């Protein structure tokens, strides 16, 4: 039985929510494996819009088990708020259909304060974080001082663990001119929220391995995009977790042999939110047109996304790094009406041609894209559900992307509606 890993192949915001929802109908279990509530997935089902940040996209489908893996950092208050929002929309959520890894790290209010203080400081690199405490929580995780979901059920040791955590954080806070954090206040907050979170806690690794042995289909849902990977992305302008497909095994406790098919969600052009390099960015009328047609505003933050032409160099690099078997190409309809469309096929750096993004940020700033120009199309691709319904130029564009990135198009999305999807190959039938 095939198990599918879904990752974004660019800087996130590629339309993973719709594709994961489309795939979740075929899955039995949907598992988040990294990130936190800085992720934003928008689902449109029968005209109803669901906006998810921390919950797996399968939560809106009856009969599916949704799992938050140990690689995710969990803000318990944000999670409860998201659960209540979805319940108000008629979504049933209980410990029967939602499980949280008992070894998942908690995001605390002090993490959010530290995140905001650092991002607002007058010195240092501005990463463009969502200020939701994601990075500081991961820092505590690797520093072996984090509080985890299981700690909420152990009130006898919770106070000591908070004291250990605050010895580190209060030293940081002094350096940022923040007052010491009140240990007693944090303890009371955690004791109050514990009864609402602990019923969802479970040994997720065991549940997933049992599901695998039972022949159930598992869909592993990534957040952000592989270009934001802490190791393989555009460092330091990245997220604080590994976003490539291999993290699906580490972030849930299932062996890597279970990862049968990696699907890279890929936008037909390129966007990113926040700071950092963007070789094909169009800070002009073209970029504005792409942003307006694509409604390019962040689900979580509402921030306007930077827009540019498709960068085949970056996607090809991420196909190799993340082990992507096929891509789901999204938002093709945004390119409707352009007289010509450009694709970046290489870079120039200091007078020489290169076919990858250099690691050094100074070199990244000096590269210039090499473009290939294709004929655009004026017929609409919006809502197409077959290759025959697409303009011929749009088909040529898609086929050329496949050649340039070295991966086939598995799915093609032509609108936010889940049924406006052209299936080339079912990833679960790998």
């Amino acid at each position: 039985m095939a198990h599918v890993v879904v990752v974004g192949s660019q800087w996130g915001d590629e339309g993973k929510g719709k594709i994961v929802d489309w795939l979740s109908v075929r899955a039995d279990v949907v598992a988040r494996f990294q990130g936190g509530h800085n992720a934003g997935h928008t689902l449109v089902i029968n005209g109803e819009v669901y906006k998810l940040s921390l919950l797996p996209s399968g939560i809106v489908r009856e009969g599916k088990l949704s799992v938050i893996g140990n690689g995710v950092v969990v803000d318990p208050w944000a999670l409860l708020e998201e659960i209540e929002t979805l319940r108000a929309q008629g979504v049933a959520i209980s410990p029967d259909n939602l499980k949280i890894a008992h070894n998942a790290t908690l995001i605390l209010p002090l993490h959010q304060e530290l995140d905001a203080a650092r991002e607002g400081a007058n010195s240092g690199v501005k990463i463009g974080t969502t200020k939701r405490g994601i990075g500081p929580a991961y820092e505590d995780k690797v520093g072996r001082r984090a509080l985890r979901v299981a700690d909420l059920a152990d009130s006898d040791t919770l106070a000591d663990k908070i004291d250990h955590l605050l010895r580190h954080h209060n030293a940081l806070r002094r350096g940022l001119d923040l007052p010491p954090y009140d240990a007693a206040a944090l303890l009371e907050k955690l004791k109050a929220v514990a009864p609402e979170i602990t019923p969802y806690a479970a040994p997720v690794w065991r549940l997933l391995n049992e599901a695998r042995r039972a022949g159930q289909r598992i869909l592993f849902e990534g957040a952000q995009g592989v270009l934001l990977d802490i190791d393989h992305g555009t460092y330091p302008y990245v997220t604080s977790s590994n976003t490539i497909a291999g993290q699906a095994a580490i972030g849930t406790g299932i062996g890597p042999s279970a990862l049968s098919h990696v699907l890279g969600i890929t936008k037909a052009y390129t966007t990113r939110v926040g700071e950092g390099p963007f070789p094909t960015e169009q800070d002009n009328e073209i970029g504005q047109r792409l942003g307006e047609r694509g409604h390019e505003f962040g689900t979580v933050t509402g921030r306007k996304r930077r827009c540019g032409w498709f960068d085949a160099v970056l996607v090809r690099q991420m196909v190799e790094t993340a082990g992507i078997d096929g891509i789901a190409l999204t938002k093709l309809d945004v390119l409707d009406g352009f007289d010509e469309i450009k694709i970046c096929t290489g870079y120039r750096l200091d007078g020489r041609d290169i076919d990858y993004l250099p690691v050094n940020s100074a070199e990244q700033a000096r590269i210039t894209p090499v473009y290939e120009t294709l004929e655009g199309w004026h017929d609409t691709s919006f809502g197409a559900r077959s290759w025959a319904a697409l303009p011929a130029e749009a088909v040529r564009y898609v086929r050329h992307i496949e050649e340039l990135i070295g991966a086939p198009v598995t799915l093609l999305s032509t609108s936010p509606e889940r049924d406006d999807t052209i299936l080339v190959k079912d990833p679960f039938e790998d």
Side-chain angles (χ1 to χ4, degrees), residues 228-275:
L228 293 173
D229 185 276
I230 188 68
D231 288 299
H232 302 286
T234 49
Y235 188 90
Y237 303 99
V238 291
T239 194
S240 299
S241 60
N242 287 109
T243 58
I244 61 171
Q247 177 65 19
I250 299 169
T252 60
I254 200 165
S257 60
L259 312 182
S260 312
H261 185 97
V262 180
L263 182 66
I265 315 302
T266 309
K267 197 175 286 186
Y269 50 102
T270 309
T271 63
R272 82 170 297 174
V273 171
E275 307 298 325

Side-chain angles (χ1 to χ4, degrees), residues 21 43 45 48-52 55-64 66 79-95 97-98 200:
D21 174 60
L43 312 181
I45 303 172
E48 182 81 17
V49 178
Y50 302 93
K51 293 190 176 183
L52 308 179
L55 291 169
S57 296
I59 199 69
V60 300
R61 295 290 176 185
E62 291 185 13
K64 312 296 179 183
S66 290
L79 175 61
L80 292 173
E81 182 178 352
E82 189 173 336
I83 287 173
E84 289 307 311
T85 297
L86 288 181
R87 281 176 175 163
Q89 292 183 272
V91 179
I93 303 175
S94 75
N97 66 341
L98 175 64
Y200 297 99

Side-chain angles (χ1 to χ4, degrees), residues 58-315:
I59 199 69
V60 300
R61 295 290 176 185
E62 291 185 13
K64 312 296 179 183
L65 176 63
S66 290
V67 169
I68 297 175
N70 57 275
V72 179
V73 285
V74 179
D75 181 325
W77 299 277
L79 175 61
L80 292 173
E81 182 178 352
E82 189 173 336
I83 287 173
E84 289 307 311
T85 297
L86 288 181
R87 281 176 175 163
Q89 292 183 272
V91 179
I93 303 175
S94 75
D96 292 330
N97 66 341
L98 175 64
K99 302 294 184 182
I100 307 171
H102 53 196
N103 54 337
T105 293
L106 295 175
I107 299 176
L108 307 173
L110 58 84
H111 292 133
Q112 296 172 343
E113 290 184 17
L114 178 59
D115 205 355
R118 285 172 170 171
E119 196 68 12
N122 293 324
S123 60
V125 176
K126 297 292 190 298
I127 303 299
T129 77
T130 57
K131 301 178 184 178
R132 281 165 167 73
I134 311 296
Y138 275 117
E139 290 177 35
D140 284 342
K141 177 180 179 177
V142 298
R144 298 179 294 278
R145 56 182 169 265
L147 300 183
R148 305 196 293 180
V149 170
D151 293 325
L152 294 176
D154 189 5
S155 58
D156 292 338
T157 64
L158 193 54
D160 289 340
K161 291 177 180 179
I162 289 174
D163 287 341
H164 175 63
L165 177 69
L166 290 184
R167 278 196 292 273
H168 172 79
H169 272 272
N170 282 336
L172 288 178
R173 293 170 70 88
R174 283 195 296 272
L176 291 166
D177 294 325
L178 295 174
Y181 205 89
D182 188 329
L186 180 57
L187 179 61
E188 289 307 308
K189 283 177 180 287
L190 291 172
K191 283 184 174 181
V193 80
E196 298 183 77
I197 295 296
T198 52
Y200 297 99
V204 158
W205 62 271
R206 174 173 287 171
L207 294 177
L208 292 179
N209 280 284
E210 288 174 349
R212 181 188 182 191
R213 287 193 294 271
Q216 294 183 322
R217 291 173 166 177
I218 305 172
L219 181 61
F220 297 93
E221 179 182 6
Q224 291 92 33
V226 291
L227 281 165
L228 293 173
D229 185 276
I230 188 68
D231 288 299
H232 302 286
T234 49
Y235 188 90
Y237 303 99
V238 291
T239 194
S240 299
S241 60
N242 287 109
T243 58
I244 61 171
Q247 177 65 19
I250 299 169
T252 60
I254 200 165
S257 60
L259 312 182
S260 312
H261 185 97
V262 180
L263 182 66
I265 315 302
T266 309
K267 197 175 286 186
Y269 50 102
T270 309
T271 63
R272 82 170 297 174
V273 171
E275 307 298 325
F278 188 169
T280 64
E281 182 175 12
Q282 299 296 300
D283 189 13
N284 52 30
E285 292 181 2
I286 291 173
Q288 183 176 350
R289 181 177 177 183
L290 289 170
E292 290 174 352
R293 288 181 57 84
H295 307 290
E296 296 296 352
F297 296 91
T299 300
V300 172
T301 64
R303 288 186 294 180
K304 183 179 179 181
R305 297 174 186 142
R306 300 154 63 190
C307 299
W309 295 119
F310 187 84
D311 192 330
V313 180
L314 284 181
V315 176

Side-chain angles (χ1 to χ4, degrees), residues 389-402:
L390 292 172
E393 296 83 1
V395 174
R396 284 195 287 271
Y397 180 76
V398 174
R399 295 305 185 198
H400 195 45
I401 283 177
E402 289 180 314

